[in-house]
């Protein structure tokens, strides 16, 4: 992601807001030390939220049950894909707390 321009400022502010909500971010690197993604995870109530940012135009956010592999879930409650600013905005709009017993219709993810 670039460090200039409105989109970058927006993403920076969104990432700060997500950290304030409890997300923890890591930046996995390849064998050359280059960042391959920025990944954020937050476990809360009875769900796990995961954000993967692969560039300004490629991000994925997923909400899943706590028993799933966070990088390869087979069952999810919600998923959003698209440009990072749009995906992060959708995550910030999700209900912050999931009340046990609230109706979620799980989606099975095919390999």
């Amino acid at each position: 992601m670039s460090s200039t321009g409105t989109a970058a400022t927006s993403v920076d502010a969104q990432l700060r807001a997500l950290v304030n909500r409890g997300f923890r971010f890591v930046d996995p690197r390849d064998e050359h030390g280059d960042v391959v993604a920025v990944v954020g995870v937050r476990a809360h109530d009875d769900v796990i939220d995961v954000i993967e940012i692969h560039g300004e135009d490629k991000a994925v956010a997923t909400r899943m049950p706590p028993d799933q592999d966070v990088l390869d879930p087979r069952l999810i409650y919600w998923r959003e894909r698209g440009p990072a600013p749009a995906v992060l905005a959708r995550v910030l709009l999700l209900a912050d707390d999931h009340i046990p017993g609230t109706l979620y219709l799980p989606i099975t993810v095919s390999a």
Side-chain angles (χ1 to χ4, degrees):
M1 287 181 284
S2 121
S3 61
T4 62
T6 306
T9 302
S10 176
V11 169
D12 290 345
Q14 290 170 315
L15 289 172
R16 280 193 293 281
L18 291 165
V19 167
N20 289 337
R21 281 186 143 186
F23 275 86
R24 298 295 171 245
F25 287 89
V26 295
D27 56 348
R29 296 168 184 267
D30 65 14
E31 64 276 2
H32 305 292
D34 297 323
V35 174
V36 295
V38 174
V39 179
V41 178
R42 179 177 80 141
H44 61 101
D45 300 298
D46 58 349
V47 298
I48 297 175
D49 294 329
V50 178
I51 301 168
E52 299 173 58
I53 304 170
H54 298 277
E56 287 183 35
D57 295 323
K58 186 177 180 190
V60 179
T62 308
R63 177 168 281 180
M64 66 192 75
D67 63 348
Q68 297 297 301
D69 177 343
V70 297
L71 296 178
D72 189 24
R74 295 291 178 222
L75 186 66
I76 63 171
Y77 295 136
W78 175 87
R79 179 170 277 165
E80 183 76 20
R81 298 175 193 262
V87 171
L88 298 179
R90 290 293 308 269
V91 173
L92 288 165
L93 290 174
L94 283 175
D96 192 38
D97 56 344
H98 176 272
I99 309 299
T102 300
L103 179 61
Y104 268 101
L105 301 175
I107 303 162
T108 303
V109 179
S110 54

